[in-house]
Amino acid sequence: MSSFVWFLIITSVLVVSSYRRCSLANTTWFTAIALFIGMIMGDIGFFSWLLFAVVFIPLNITSVRQNYLTRPILDFYKKVMPDMSSTEKEAIDAGTVWWDGEIFSGNPDWQKLHSIAKPRLTQEEQAFLDGPVNQVCSMVDEWQIHHKDADLSPEIWAYLKEHKFFAMIIKRQYGGLAFSAFAQSRVLQKLAGCNTVLSSTVGVPNSLGPGELLQHYGTKEQQDYYLPRLANAEEIPCFALTSPEAGSDAGAIPDTGVVCEGEFNGETVLGMRLNFDKRYITLAPVATVVGLAFKLYDPDGLIGNQKELGITCALIPSDTENLDIGRRHFPLNTPFHNGPIRGKDIFVPLDYIIGGKDMAGKGWRMLMECLSVGRCITLPSTSAGCAKSIALATGAYARIRRQFRLPIGKMEGVEEMLARIGGNAYMMDAVTRLSTNGVDLGQKPSVISAICKYHLTERSRSLINDAMDVHGGKGIMLGPNNYLGRAYQGTPISITVEGANILTRNMMIFGQGAMRCHPFVLDELVAANIADKKEQLNAFDKAVFGHIGFAISNGLRSLWFAFTNGKFAKAPFADSTARYYQTAQGYSANLALLTDVAMGVLGGDLKRRERISARLGDILSHLYLVSAALKRFDEDGRLHEDAPLMHWAIQDSFYQLETSLLGFFDNFPNKALGRALGLLIMPFGRRFKRPSDKLEHTISRMLQTPSTARTRLGDGQYLTRESGNLHGDLEQTLDDIIACEPIFERICKEKNEKLPFTQLESLAEEALKNEWITEAEATLLKQAEAGRLRTINVDDFEHKELISQH
């Protein structure tokens, strides 16, 4: 064979070894074997072996590699990497890496995803949903809550306390319900579909707050005292973190505690003097115990040598002297209890610190770990619950409401919105299902929780805007019969709380994701900060050369994906989803490659290039959303009737992912490199278009027609067909209208006239008189007309009814 053929063979050995991520030793052996065979055949000579020795011997001799390669890289690394604050370090260290790590691997293991068992409710959890949750939903009068009382009724408050709605996360040994994260999610989804004040009131005590913090970090005395009282609602908790000067930048809170001696209950004790100004604190106006975050200082060294201990969390009873609590904010006409808390020169003992003196200064880590769990559950679940209920309601309304003598749902502009509503609702429920399942498996997925919070609240905003457009005046006119307006008003609240969405997308998802999920970046960072120089060099050498091999592999995988479109990649199913698995695998390699390029080229400046960071975060996020939709489709039995929803959700995510990729290429600071990356990764342009009109037509019909697929889309929501349940009334009216349509057509045929689908009651009387229909059919027509009028009519008031009576 010619030298050129052997050059191709050896190059192929190197490419395949790198693609398959073989170790350096194995790659060296494979290359040497190929050279040896070539030498035996007389085609490989001295120069080839010399080149091999020059390249591979230094790489395989540890001392040579470390002194002449690793050490210069380490020195350069220390110069370009930005300083990291203690709060940033704690945020990165908090939580765990789960499926997000597989996405960052460049080669996700789909069998691992599908081996995760489907989440299921226990009999106790299901009974709670079918009993107390349905009952409290039936007690809700949204107009009374929002317009008249600005509060839940006393009966609802009493019911919530009696049935331990505030104790879903508390262990049974303390009198709590100890529900799974999945069960908590289903409870919040049903409550949110009914009323956002109700879901917020229940959600907060079961999320980041005293109950969660006490169970993980409290002393035994604190646990034994507070947890039973929280479980039976003797205590109502809130948690005060946000300050006027520190909102999204919560680590910069100016609130202080100073270790000192003072008088407490008539005795001189060692404690803290607190000064703070908090706002936006949910449940503060009704709380009896306040979880408080502040920065603790020990200027006199009373508890150690460290003068600035850092963020600390303590429990402060609401009746503490000098504590100013009780006033309310009014968040966008959504009157869940929320207000400021202020304290001036409040002295409390050190044992008020959650976890006691030993946990002084460890509050930020505590908060980040608990937030990584709570942020997976509360806001994503309430967003998904609203989405599911609104999807069914909007589909029903579009079928019931007619203009131009046909249901408005048959208009293509409305079809487009209905499809977005249905597809987003499917995706949102898939994400909450997968994420809460991860929590139940013991994960504290900080990156995934940020993805869930941002994308589900944003999709909820898009969905409710579409629903308002479909409903028109029906959605705008508030009153007892409006089931949409209050959710629309309150949507920006979820966008803002638990980390504003702008911050979450631009800084948190990729900022934490690159550090936590990348298999080598965090190891490099840790290694560079090791004090012992020898240990530092050994650790950095292992991390950086693993990283180099990882980057080469992802470059080759990206090139292969670019020209094969992933068609040769393995997929766990040989059906219409195979392409999605193959594409996701390719984009996983692209994400890992672009991360390495961005970090390598921009270095510490990447931290300030927020829009570049945001686009990389979008790629990570959409790969997670796609994974969730694929997992849900499989868990539900790979049902053909659900496939349109799955296809829409995944195609929409891939389209948005590709939009972020193109934005990354176009806006990369090094324009030439940006264009080169575009040619490498997307040489033929987009792989996915927006979901087609045909697919969206199918989903639109699904939302407007009772079916098992439509029922699964709204699974678990409060849809009981009883007086006062507007969503249940819509479902009943939808059934009645569909049942009436053939009767109506028969009457039109008898009259030889195309009639408007109105005044069905008088039409029923006429048709019954002429014996065109039966008595039962006439009753059905009258019932349908009553429901139709309830659906399309809006409320009106005397002027004085709209004036505040307080």
Side-chain angles (χ1 to χ4, degrees):
M1 289 190 288
S2 68
S3 297
F4 179 71
V5 172
W6 276 105
F7 171 78
L8 292 179
I9 291 172
I10 293 170
T11 300
S12 297
V13 169
L14 290 171
V15 167
V16 172
S17 297
S18 298
Y19 183 95
R20 302 293 298 177
R21 299 177 181 172
C22 295
S23 67
L24 176 60
N26 286 338
T27 301
T28 303
W29 276 109
F30 295 151
T31 307
I33 290 169
L35 286 170
F36 183 75
I37 294 172
M39 183 181 70
I40 291 175
M41 298 180 67
D43 295 316
I44 297 294
F46 173 77
F47 179 77
S48 298
W49 280 106
L50 178 63
L51 183 61
F52 170 80
V54 167
V55 173
F56 282 96
I57 290 177
L59 288 176
N60 282 276
I61 298 176
T62 302
S63 60
V64 175
R65 182 181 69 243
Q66 289 186 352
N67 286 320
Y68 293 99
L69 293 174
T70 306
R71 196 181 300 279
I73 296 173
L74 175 59
D75 292 339
F76 176 75
Y77 181 88
K78 288 180 176 180
K79 291 179 182 178
V80 300
M81 285 305 293
D83 292 332
M84 187 176 296
S85 69
S86 60
T87 53
E88 286 177 313
K89 290 178 181 177
E90 288 175 339
I92 288 171
D93 290 341
T96 59
V97 176
W98 187 45
W99 183 249
D100 43 341
E102 285 291 325
I103 292 172
F104 244 109
S105 73
N107 186 27
D109 184 349
W110 299 111
Q111 294 298 339
K112 183 182 293 186
L113 176 70
H114 288 296
S115 68
I116 300 170
K118 179 179 179 179
R120 300 185 186 279
L121 298 170
T122 65
Q123 288 185 349
E124 181 184 0
E125 291 165 344
Q126 187 64 61
F128 188 78
L129 278 160
D130 294 340
V133 177
N134 274 356
Q135 179 60 35
V136 79
C137 286
S138 73
M139 298 166 70
V140 168
D141 181 338
E142 190 166 67
W143 181 249
Q144 186 76 26
I145 291 169
H146 286 253
H147 183 71
K148 296 182 179 181
D149 296 341
D151 195 0
L152 300 173
S153 69
E155 292 78 16
I156 291 177
W157 274 106
Y159 193 85
L160 294 175
K161 293 176 180 180
E162 178 187 354
H163 291 275
K164 301 190 176 184
F165 277 80
F166 302 142
M168 290 191 290
I169 62 169
I170 296 177
K171 297 175 182 177
R172 286 187 175 86
Q173 69 190 80
Y174 301 110
L177 298 177
F179 281 174
S180 65
F182 177 65
Q184 293 173 51
S185 174
R186 305 324 267 189
V187 170
L188 292 174
Q189 284 193 23
K190 182 174 280 193
L191 297 179
C194 177
N195 180 255
T196 54
V197 174
L198 179 61
S199 61
S200 298
T201 301
V202 172
V204 168
N206 290 291
S207 183
L208 176 63
E212 182 79 356
L213 294 171
L214 282 167
Q215 290 196 124
H216 288 284
Y217 308 106
T219 64
K220 187 176 187 307
E221 292 77 9
Q222 290 171 340
Q223 292 172 343
D224 290 344
Y225 177 77
Y226 275 113
L227 289 175
R229 295 169 67 85
L230 289 169
N232 63 26
E234 285 182 64
E235 303 278 8
I236 299 295
C238 70
F239 193 84
L241 175 61
T242 304
S243 298
E245 303 295 341
S248 295
D249 185 14
I253 52 175
D255 311 291
T256 62
V258 177
V259 179
C260 60
E261 290 187 342
E263 292 292 324
F264 186 79
N265 291 340
E267 296 181 8
T268 300
V269 299
L270 190 61
M272 306 170 288
R273 192 163 300 280
L274 306 172
N275 287 277
F276 53 89
D277 182 5
K278 303 290 190 179
R279 64 178 182 181
Y280 309 154
I281 311 305
T282 298
L283 293 186
V286 294
T288 61
V289 60
V290 177
L292 181 71
F294 55 93
K295 287 184 176 176
L296 185 62
Y297 300 88
D298 184 16
D300 299 324
L302 297 176
I303 61 173
N305 297 324
Q306 192 173 352
K307 296 186 182 300
E308 297 184 9
L309 286 89
I311 294 176
T312 301
C313 298
L315 292 177
I316 314 296
S318 62
D319 59 1
T320 299
E321 186 177 358
N322 294 335
L323 183 66
D324 181 7
I325 188 171
R327 292 183 63 81
R328 295 182 66 175
H329 298 310
F330 194 32
L332 284 176
N333 209 24
T334 306
F336 59 92
H337 280 277
N338 184 280
I341 304 177
R342 302 178 182 93
K344 184 174 178 59
D345 290 333
I346 293 178
F347 181 81
V348 296
L350 282 179
D351 58 14
Y352 275 32
I353 295 174
I354 297 176
K357 184 178 70 173
D358 291 342
M359 295 302 290
K362 298 178 182 178
W364 190 245
R365 176 68 179 264
M366 293 160 55
L367 293 175
M368 289 300 98
E369 289 189 343
C370 289
L371 187 62
S372 66
V373 172
R375 201 160 44 178
C376 263
I377 302 171
T378 308
L379 285 173
S381 299
T382 54
S383 296
C386 283
K388 290 161 65 174
S389 291
I390 289 170
L392 266 58
T394 308
Y397 180 83
R399 181 64 180 267
I400 295 165
R401 174 66 166 161
R402 296 192 178 216
Q403 293 285 274
F404 309 107
R405 296 197 174 189
L406 80 161
I408 63 171
K410 291 188 176 181
M411 300 175 182
E412 289 195 351
V414 174
E415 282 191 345
E416 179 183 1
M417 294 183 179
L418 287 174
R420 281 202 300 260
I421 291 169
N424 277 320
Y426 181 88
M427 173 66 87
M428 293 165 73
D429 198 22
V431 171
T432 58
R433 186 189 294 186
L434 177 60
S435 305
T436 56
N437 198 8
V439 171
D440 286 328
L441 293 172
Q443 299 293 330
K444 295 182 179 180
S446 55
V447 176
I448 287 174
S449 70
I451 292 172
C452 293
K453 191 275 172 178
Y454 173 78
H455 284 277
L456 267 62
T457 56
E458 287 294 340
R459 284 175 181 258
S460 178
R461 171 155 62 179
S462 170
L463 183 147
I464 201 162
N465 282 338
D466 284 338
M468 286 293 285
D469 283 355
V470 173
H471 282 79
K474 174 68 175 180
I476 292 170
M477 299 303 168
L478 293 174
N481 292 300
N482 186 313
Y483 46 82
L484 194 60
R486 298 302 185 182
Y488 175 81
Q489 285 183 321
T491 293
I493 299 170
S494 64
I495 301 295
T496 303
V497 300
E498 290 190 10
N501 277 10
I502 294 173
L503 167 81
T504 302
R505 175 176 180 259
N506 285 272
M507 297 176 67
M508 292 181 65
I509 293 175
F510 180 75
Q512 286 189 334
M515 291 291 183
R516 291 289 295 156
C517 304
H518 192 290
F520 298 102
V521 168
L522 187 58
D523 290 343
E524 289 169 341
L525 186 66
V526 171
N529 285 280
I530 294 174
D532 183 274
K533 296 298 182 182
K534 183 176 181 181
E535 186 182 347
Q536 180 188 73
L537 188 62
N538 287 334
F540 191 79
D541 177 74
K542 180 180 179 181
V544 78
F545 277 95
H547 194 160
I548 291 169
F550 181 71
I552 293 171
S553 171
N554 287 313
L556 293 170
R557 287 169 180 271
S558 293
L559 184 65
W560 182 248
F561 174 58
F563 289 98
T564 66
N565 207 21
K567 292 188 182 298
F568 299 103
K570 291 182 179 180
F573 303 99
D575 57 14
S576 61
T577 65
R579 180 189 175 209
Y580 300 145
Y581 289 101
Q582 293 165 339
T583 303
Q585 182 168 319
Y587 281 136
S588 171
N590 293 164
L591 170 63
L593 175 66
L594 293 178
T595 297
D596 287 335
V597 170
M599 295 180 76
V601 173
L602 300 177
D605 196 39
L606 179 58
K607 186 176 179 179
R608 293 174 288 278
R609 297 278 186 171
E610 294 175 17
R611 298 185 72 176
I612 296 295
S613 173
R615 292 182 178 106
L616 291 170
D618 290 343
I619 299 168
L620 170 61
S621 297
H622 286 296
L623 288 173
Y624 182 74
L625 301 187
V626 166
S627 301
L630 289 168
K631 182 76 165 73
R632 173 182 181 168
F633 184 66
D634 185 59
E635 286 180 346
D636 288 347
R638 312 189 72 77
L639 300 171
H640 174 74
E641 54 266 38
D642 291 353
L645 293 166
M646 176 271 296
H647 287 306
W648 190 97
I650 293 176
Q651 290 172 22
D652 175 71
S653 278
F654 275 137
Y655 181 86
Q656 293 188 52
L657 182 154
E658 290 177 353
T659 299
S660 294
L661 271 175
L662 294 170
F664 179 92
F665 303 144
D666 291 342
N667 293 280
F668 197 71
N670 186 319
K671 298 298 182 184
L673 182 55
R675 285 192 290 271
L677 289 169
L679 289 173
L680 169 65
I681 289 174
M682 297 178 70
F684 308 112
R686 286 185 177 275
R687 295 180 175 88
F688 281 87
K689 300 177 181 178
R690 292 184 184 276
S692 68
D693 293 354
K694 182 178 180 181
L695 177 60
E696 294 193 335
H697 171 79
T698 302
I699 295 172
S700 172
R701 295 275 80 79
M702 179 190 300
L703 260 63
Q704 298 176 71
T705 309
S707 65
T708 55
R710 185 177 184 275
T711 299
R712 278 189 295 274
L713 185 64
D715 177 56
Q717 295 309 103
Y718 179 60
L719 302 171
T720 57
R721 302 184 183 192
E722 59 190 14
S723 177
N725 185 354
L726 299 181
H727 289 278
D729 186 55
L730 268 173
E731 293 297 295
Q732 183 60 56
T733 300
L734 174 64
D735 286 350
D736 292 343
I737 290 293
I738 291 173
C740 280
E741 286 175 349
I743 303 171
F744 175 78
E745 292 298 328
R746 194 164 78 241
I747 295 172
C748 290
K749 186 175 182 180
E750 291 288 351
K751 291 175 70 72
N752 196 27
E753 182 180 356
K754 182 61 177 176
L755 300 169
F757 198 80
T758 60
Q759 300 179 344
L760 299 182
E761 185 170 359
S762 59
L763 187 64
E765 293 289 353
E766 179 187 356
L768 185 63
K769 183 177 180 180
N770 289 305
E771 298 184 349
W772 296 335
I773 61 175
T774 65
E775 187 75 43
E777 290 172 329
T779 300
L780 181 59
L781 279 169
K782 293 176 183 179
Q783 180 175 310
E785 177 67 0
R788 188 185 72 85
L789 292 175
R790 286 195 303 273
T791 299
I792 68 172
N793 287 338
V794 299
D795 298 291
D796 51 72
F797 307 90
E798 293 288 345
H799 174 68
K800 63 181 180 180
E801 293 180 77
L802 298 178
I803 299 174
S804 174
Q805 302 300 310
H806 301 287

